Amino acid sequence: MAAGPASEAQYDYIVVGSGAGGGTLAARLAEAGARVLLIEAGGDPRQLQGSDPAYPDQNRLPDDYDVPVLHPFASENTGQRWEFFVRHYNSQQLQERDPKFVPEENGIFYPRAGTLGGCTAHNAQIFVYPHNEDWDYIAELTGDDSWNRDAMRKIFQRMENCEHRFFLYRWLAKLGLDWTRHGWNGWLTTQKAVPIRALGDEGLVATIFDSAAKAIKEQPNQEEGLDWFVESQGDPNDWRLVSSNATGLRYPPLTNRNHQRIGSRERVLEVKARHPDRLTLALHTLVTRVLFDDHNRAVGVEIMEGERLYRAAWQPSETEPERKAVYCAKEVILSGGAFNTPQLLMLSGIGPKAELEKHGIAVRVDLPGVGLNMQDRYEVGVVNEMNRDWEVLTGAKFAAGDPQYGEWSRRRHGVYTTNGAILAVIKRSLPERPLPDLFCFGLLGLFKGYFPGYSALFPAHLNYLTWAILKAHTVNTAGTVTLRSADPRDPPQIDFRYFEEGNDENGADLDSVVAGIKFVRTMTAKLMKKGLIVKEHLPGVEVQTDAQLKQFVRDHAWGHHASCTCSIGPRDRLGVLSGDFKVHGVSGLRVVDASVFPRIPGFFIVSAVYMVGEKAADVIIKQSGIV
C-alpha cells in the first residue's frame, strides 16, 4: 500500500467504506479507467467465520449472508456485526421505558455491518424506489436539474436488472415500449420471492391477503388503489405507480440473484476481477482521519491495519497498530454511513467548532452542520400469536439441514427465498399527508424490534404473524452524531431525540404511527374473529385509546435507516455538501452515502443510496475527465 507524498500516489481516488454508496462508486470509477483504493474496516462476509445468538457454537457464514430469509441472523453474526447502542431519548426516564433498552450499554441496539458490502450484507434486501418528490426537492435546493425525477430514474434504469416482471416487458423495452421504466441490463438484480399463495397454508395466506384487500377498499381513493394494483401486478417500482404516488397492495422486490443476496460486495468483486490493475481492495483497514496539504486539499487518509479495530465490532481487538498514511492524486471520498462519516469528518477537523475543541481537535473548517439533521424512520410491530405453526415453517431451524434450507439450496425455491415478508401495503397514514408515508408488511415470525439476541426468537416461535409498520417521511430532524472522544476507534454518541424531544412540534409523526396501528388492526380483526389469531401480544388488546397507543409507540418504536447527517445544502443553512457531493470549505473531499440527503427519502433507503453512488460516479467522471 502506497505511503508517501501525494505527487507519488499510486491511486487517483480513495473511497472509504464499501456499502451501497461507496462500493457502487468505487466500482464505477474503476470501470471508467480510474485507479481506485477502496478501504473497508471489515472482511469479506463470504470468507469470514461467525456465529449468531440462535447458534452460538456454529460457524454460520456464508449462509447468514447468502440465504435471503436469514437476514436477522446476518445482522447479529459475530463475523460482521457492528453494535451501536443509541439513545432514542436524552431523558433517562423515557429511555428506560423501552423494553429493548440495554442498561449495560445505556442505549438501544442499532445493528450495523462492518464488512465488505456494508449494510447491504445484512439488510432485508427490500428494494423500493423513492418518491419522485425526494429527488425534485434536492434539484430545487441545489438548482441542479440532474437531481430531478427523470434524471434519477435514468440512473435507476442503468443500475437495475429487473427479473420480477413478466419477461415480455423486457422484450418490449428493447422495442422502446417501456411503461414500467425498469432497468433490464444493470448490475443489481432484483427479484420477487415465490408467490405467497405457493408457500402453503393456502387458507390462512388467502385470508391474510383478502383481509388486507378489504381493509384497503375501506380507505380513501380505494378505487385508484385497485386500479393501480391491476396495472402494476403489485410492483411498487413500476414507474406508473411511482409517478402517481400510488397506494395499495404490493409485494416487496428483493436485491437477489438466483434467490441469493446480492449487494455492493458482488459489484466490487466482479469489477475487481475484470480490472485488478484499477481497483485495489484494502480489507480490515480502519481509516482514522483525512490528510490535507497546506492548501486545505484532501490528499490521502491515515489508516490502521488489523481485524476488529473499531470498538463497535464483536470482541474488538485490544492491540494498537501503528498508523500509516496512504495518498491519492485526485480525491478522497467518505462513504462510511450516517454514523461514521460525520465522525471521520470531525476527527479530521471538519465540524462544529465547539465540538472539536471539546475533544482537543484542531479546527480545520468550522462546519456546524456535520452530525446534525439526523433522521430515521419510526417502526413498530403489531405482533400476533397464531393458533398453530405456519405450515411452511414446519421443521424450520433456520439452519442448514432443515427441509426449507434443502429446498432453497437444491432448487432456490420455498420460504427461504423470501425475507420473511409475505405481503405489503402502502398507504397514507392520514388523508392530509402529501405522500404515502406508511409501508406495512406482514412477517412470518415474532419481531418486536432490535435488541441483543432478537434473531434467536425466529426459530423459537414458528406461530407468529408480525405486521411491521414503517413510517416514512418523518418530520423530526433533531437527531445528532457527536464524538465520545478523539479516539477513532470509539463509536460516536448517537442521539435520535424521538417524538416530543425532537422538533416535530405538532406531533405528526406520532399521529401517523398510531394511524398505522389502527389500520393493521382492521386487517387482523378478521383473522382474530375466525380464531386464527389467538392473541395480540403487541400492542395488546388492553391498549386501545389514542393516548394508550401513543404511549406504546413512544415506548416501543425503533428505526434502522439513519441518514442525513452530512446533508447537501447551503453552508448557511447547516448544509455540509454542495450538490456535487463536495464538502464545504475544503477541496478534494466528497461524501457519498446515506448521510448526504437533506430529507430522508422514500421507504427503504438502500435504493436511494445505490442511486447516489451511481450519480456521484457520473459527476466525478464528468468533472475529472477520466474518459
Side-chain angles (χ1 to χ4, degrees):
M1 187 172 295
S7 61
E8 300 177 5
Q10 292 182 352
Y11 310 105
D12 297 317
Y13 299 93
I14 295 174
V15 180
V16 181
S18 64
T24 299
L25 171 64
R28 279 264 283 124
L29 292 178
E31 283 183 327
R35 302 169 302 163
V36 182
L37 173 63
L38 177 60
I39 301 178
E40 169 55 52
D44 183 339
R46 298 202 79 254
Q47 304 298 323
L48 295 168
Q49 292 193 348
S51 61
D52 56 48
Y55 298 95
D57 300 322
Q58 299 179 22
N59 174 38
R60 293 267 294 179
L61 288 172
D63 282 345
D64 279 357
Y65 177 86
D66 288 341
V67 184
V69 82
L70 297 185
H71 63 90
F73 307 91
S75 71
E76 292 202 273
N77 190 287
T78 58
Q80 63 180 26
R81 79 182 186 213
W82 274 6
E83 296 180 330
F84 288 91
F85 289 89
V86 308
R87 300 284 298 188
H88 290 171
Y89 300 99
N90 286 337
S91 164
Q92 191 70 13
Q93 181 181 8
L94 291 176
Q95 187 65 90
E96 291 182 2
R97 288 181 60 93
D98 191 328
K100 301 184 295 299
F101 177 71
V102 181
E104 297 80 9
E105 303 290 347
N106 199 31
I108 305 292
F109 176 49
Y110 201 106
R112 302 281 85 181
T115 192
L116 181 59
C119 289
T120 71
H122 76 188
N123 69 359
Q125 306 134 87
I126 297 176
F127 192 72
V128 175
Y129 193 78
H131 290 106
N132 281 331
E133 286 78 1
D134 297 322
W135 303 125
D136 289 345
Y137 176 75
I138 302 177
E140 181 180 352
L141 180 68
T142 60
D144 181 354
D145 284 343
S146 71
W147 277 103
N148 70 27
R149 62 179 65 191
D150 288 319
M152 294 305 293
R153 186 67 180 197
K154 290 175 183 176
I155 287 176
F156 169 83
Q157 289 176 276
R158 182 182 69 204
M159 176 180 68
E160 186 192 25
N161 177 22
C162 176
E163 293 186 349
H164 59 85
R165 295 303 297 269
F166 186 54
F167 74 91
L168 182 61
Y169 284 101
R170 184 182 293 268
W171 289 101
L172 288 172
K174 294 180 180 180
L175 301 175
L177 302 173
D178 193 3
W179 303 286
T180 70
R181 288 192 68 179
H182 273 289
W184 308 103
N185 298 293
W187 64 268
L188 185 62
T189 304
T190 58
Q191 297 183 315
K192 178 171 64 174
V194 296
I196 60 172
R197 294 182 186 271
L199 288 176
D201 294 294
E202 292 185 9
L204 181 53
V205 170
T207 301
I208 293 172
F209 188 93
D210 294 342
S211 64
K214 181 179 179 181
I216 289 171
K217 288 180 182 179
E218 297 171 354
Q219 300 298 305
N221 302 318
Q222 57 91 5
E223 296 87 357
E224 291 180 354
L226 292 175
D227 290 344
W228 282 325
F229 180 79
V230 172
E231 191 168 69
S232 70
Q233 292 91 53
D235 169 15
N237 298 334
D238 188 304
W239 178 249
R240 295 164 293 184
L241 274 67
V242 172
S243 298
S244 304
N245 291 323
T247 58
L249 285 173
R250 301 289 181 267
Y251 61 81
L254 305 180
T255 48
N256 287 176
R257 181 194 293 161
N258 191 27
H259 296 295
Q260 179 173 318
R261 178 188 297 273
I262 180 177
S264 56
R265 172 196 177 274
E266 285 66 36
R267 174 65 164 151
V268 166
L269 293 181
E270 288 164 10
V271 171
K272 179 173 172 55
R274 294 198 304 270
H275 303 290
D277 56 327
R278 300 182 196 166
L279 183 55
T280 301
L281 182 58
L283 299 177
H284 299 301
T285 302
L286 181 69
V287 174
T288 58
R289 64 186 174 109
V290 180
L291 302 175
F292 294 87
D293 66 14
D294 294 337
H295 304 287
N296 245 15
R297 177 176 182 81
V299 295
V301 294
E302 183 182 78
I303 61 169
M304 301 169 70
E305 296 172 304
E307 296 186 22
R308 295 194 170 102
L309 294 178
Y310 197 57
R311 295 192 177 102
W314 177 76
Q315 293 185 353
S317 172
E318 297 181 0
T319 62
E320 188 73 19
E322 65 172 315
R323 301 189 185 192
K324 304 176 182 179
V326 56
Y327 296 97
C328 60
K330 294 187 176 180
E331 292 184 293
V332 174
I333 300 133
L334 303 183
S335 301
F339 299 157
N340 293 102
T341 288
Q343 179 185 19
L344 194 49
L345 284 175
M346 287 185 279
L347 291 171
S348 306
I350 301 172
K353 180 180 179 181
E355 174 72 8
L356 302 182
E357 290 179 340
K358 181 171 70 174
H359 296 284
I361 299 172
V363 179
R364 181 173 298 278
V365 179
D366 181 11
L367 200 55
V370 173
L372 300 185
N373 192 49
M374 183 166 64
Q375 298 166 48
D376 204 344
R377 325 288 187 201
Y378 290 117
E379 299 183 51
V380 295
V382 176
V383 180
N384 295 283
E385 182 181 355
M386 312 301 288
N387 66 354
R388 56 182 173 81
D389 289 354
W390 291 97
E391 176 187 325
V392 72
L393 293 177
T394 300
K397 304 295 183 183
F398 294 90
D402 72 16
Q404 293 81 2
Y405 181 92
E407 193 174 18
W408 174 84
S409 63
R410 290 191 303 270
R411 301 170 50 217
R412 289 299 193 268
H413 192 69
V415 70
Y416 283 12
T417 67
T418 77
N419 66 349
I422 57 173
L423 182 68
V425 176
I426 293 174
K427 71 181 300 290
R428 283 177 172 81
S429 58
L430 297 166
E432 62 266 28
R433 298 294 181 250
L435 293 171
D437 62 325
L438 292 183
F439 192 96
C440 308
F441 50 112
L443 302 169
L444 305 184
L446 171 56
F447 181 54
K448 50 187 177 180
Y450 299 103
F451 55 89
Y454 86 96
S455 59
L457 296 179
F458 286 89
H461 299 86
L462 302 180
N463 63 325
Y464 278 76
L465 170 67
T466 298
W467 276 97
I469 300 163
L470 182 149
K471 158 61 183 165
H473 300 294
T474 46
V475 176
N476 186 21
T477 63
T480 61
V481 175
T482 55
L483 296 177
R484 292 182 189 271
S485 75
D487 187 341
R489 299 178 64 182
D490 285 340
Q493 175 70 32
I494 301 161
D495 297 286
F496 282 97
R497 296 184 174 87
Y498 273 15
F499 301 114
E500 286 90 347
E501 276 199 357
N503 56 7
D504 176 13
E505 297 177 358
N506 297 320
D509 290 337
L510 190 58
D511 290 342
S512 291
V513 182
V514 168
I517 295 173
K518 292 180 177 179
F519 171 73
V520 164
R521 280 177 162 175
T522 67
M523 292 192 289
T524 58
K526 185 175 180 180
L527 280 70
M528 188 151 320
K529 185 176 181 180
K530 288 187 173 185
L532 299 174
I533 290 176
V534 297
K535 183 178 181 181
E536 180 187 275
H537 284 264
L538 291 175
V541 293
E542 69 281 2
V543 180
Q544 294 293 335
T545 68
D546 280 3
Q548 290 172 327
L549 288 170
K550 286 181 179 181
Q551 192 60 55
F552 167 79
V553 173
R554 292 187 190 98
D555 295 345
H556 290 260
W558 71 85
H560 65 296
H561 294 159
S563 54
C564 308
T565 51
C566 298
S567 62
I568 291 171
R571 190 170 175 176
D572 60 1
R573 292 170 55 184
L574 298 179
V576 176
L577 311 173
S578 57
D580 55 1
F581 306 96
K582 292 180 179 178
V583 177
H584 295 316
V586 296
S587 60
L589 181 62
R590 303 194 205 225
V591 171
V592 180
D593 58 26
S595 67
V596 308
F597 301 105
R599 301 192 310 201
I600 187 169
F603 292 112
F604 295 87
I605 199 169
V606 70
S607 61
V609 180
Y610 277 127
M611 293 170 69
V612 159
E614 290 282 344
K615 177 173 175 49
D618 287 349
V619 170
I620 293 170
I621 290 168
K622 181 179 180 180
Q623 291 182 354
S624 67
I626 295 174
V627 291

